[in-house]
Amino acid sequence: EAAGGAIAAHEARLLEAMLHGTGNLRGLAEMPGVRLIGPADAAGREGVVSLWLEGMASADLVDHLGSRGVRVHIRKNDHYCGNILGPLGREDCIRVSVCHYNTEAEV
């Protein structure tokens, strides 16, 4: 139970850094053109942030970030993600995940 609590707290800190930045680095919530799915809050996210970037196809963003060593995944309006993307009028987005073994520097 203690390990599970520590993991959840660590992942919440990572998501907070991803969403709101650290030091002089902006988080996703402050970056121009980044559109988050859901609130700019770590609560309830369970280690995942989904987003799209205005003016860039999600597949191109996945490739762009991947070429720079940032691993993200595309989510499409299908039977897995359609219940979220469909009502938003989106065909796709990208998903960024963190886990207990990630560091703030990686985020």
Side-chain angles (χ1 to χ4, degrees):
E1 287 180 25
I7 288 170
H10 178 70
E11 289 177 358
R13 284 190 302 274
L14 293 176
L15 286 176
E16 192 66 28
M18 184 185 300
L19 292 166
H20 299 290
T22 60
N24 65 348
L25 299 174
R26 288 188 289 189
L28 292 170
E30 289 88 30
M31 291 181 178
V34 171
R35 298 295 174 244
L36 300 173
I37 295 179
D41 188 342
R45 285 200 175 264
E46 298 295 329
V48 176
V49 174
S50 294
L51 61 98
W52 70 87
L53 181 60
E54 290 182 354
M56 182 179 260
S58 294
D60 293 340
L61 183 54
V62 168
D63 291 343
H64 174 78
L65 293 171
S67 72
R68 286 156 177 78
V70 179
R71 186 174 174 196
V72 298
H73 301 276
I74 194 165
R75 287 290 180 230
K76 296 182 180 180
N77 187 355
D78 58 15
H79 59 278
Y80 293 109
C81 300
N83 61 330
I84 300 295
L85 292 172
L88 293 172
R90 297 288 311 166
E91 287 303 312
D92 54 39
C93 69
I94 68 164
R95 184 198 77 193
V96 186
S97 303
V98 297
C99 197
H100 64 280
Y101 51 75
N102 291 121
T103 66
E104 190 175 282
E106 290 174 315
V107 169

